[in-house]
């Protein structure tokens, strides 16, 4: 059986253009000196990037961040923080309440959530690079997924 397997591997290798394939010698069937080769250990899976999913709230947007403190930059940062607060704490919850009252349930998918935002003309803040919005239908909340820092 093993000889047949080796021959078929040789045939496959030749068919694929690997003519330099030479099978390992097969010891005779009755010899007690058969060595059992251990299979090579499986390569370790690449570590998954650490991701954090948190409720979308003030501070997740790209604008108004890292300006520092100053006479002009502090009010600018506060302006963008106030805009995010209005969107995440007033507009989105009210739109979801209206949708739930009208349809009898909260949006079930991200696509439905996006449609609710379009219908209510709500523009979500632009996120930092590497971040994305996620909608959790069980919690009925908008979340942001971003790499752990």
């Amino acid at each position: 059986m093993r000889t047949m397997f080796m021959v078929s591997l040789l045939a496959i290798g030749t068919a694929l253009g690997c003519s330099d394939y030479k099978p390992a010698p097969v010891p005779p069937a009755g010899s007690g000196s058969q060595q059992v080769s251990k299979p090579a250990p499986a390569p370790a899976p690449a570590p998954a990037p650490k991701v954090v999913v948190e409720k979308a709230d003030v501070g997740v947007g790209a604008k108004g961040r890292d300006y520092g403190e100053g006479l002009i930059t502090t009010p600018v940062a506060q302006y963008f923080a106030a805009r995010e607060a209005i969107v995440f704490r007033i507009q989105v919850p009210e739109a979801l309440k209206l949708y739930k009252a009208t349809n009898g349930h909260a949006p079930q998918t991200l696509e439905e959530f996006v449609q609710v935002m379009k219908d209510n003309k709500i523009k979500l803040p632009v996120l930092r690079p590497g971040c994305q919005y996620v909608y959790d239908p069980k919690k009925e909340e908008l979340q942001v997924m971003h790499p752990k820092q």
Side-chain angles (χ1 to χ4, degrees), residues 96 100 105-107 135-142:
L96 290 177
K100 191 171 184 177
H105 61 82
Y135 176 70
D136 186 357
K138 292 178 185 172
K139 293 182 180 179
E140 298 177 9
E141 73 180 10
L142 179 64

Side-chain angles (χ1 to χ4, degrees), residues 87 91-92 95 113-124:
V87 170
Q91 291 180 328
V92 171
F113 178 82
V114 169
Q115 189 58 47
V116 170
M117 296 300 108
K118 285 181 182 177
D119 292 345
N120 289 286
K121 296 180 175 67
I122 298 173
K123 292 184 180 180
L124 297 175

Side-chain angles (χ1 to χ4, degrees), residues 14 21 24 62 101:
T14 306
Y21 173 76

Side-chain angles (χ1 to χ4, degrees), residues 17 21 55 63 74 86 102 108 113 116 122 131:
Y21 173 76
K55 182 178 179 180
K63 292 185 178 180
T74 300
I86 290 169
T102 306
Q108 301 297 313
F113 178 82
V116 170
I122 298 173
C131 300

Side-chain angles (χ1 to χ4, degrees), residues 27-36:
S31 69
S33 64
Q34 287 185 352
Q35 292 188 1
V36 178

Side-chain angles (χ1 to χ4, degrees), residues 13-26:
T14 306
L16 293 174
C18 303
S19 58
D20 59 343
Y21 173 76
K22 294 188 178 43
V26 180

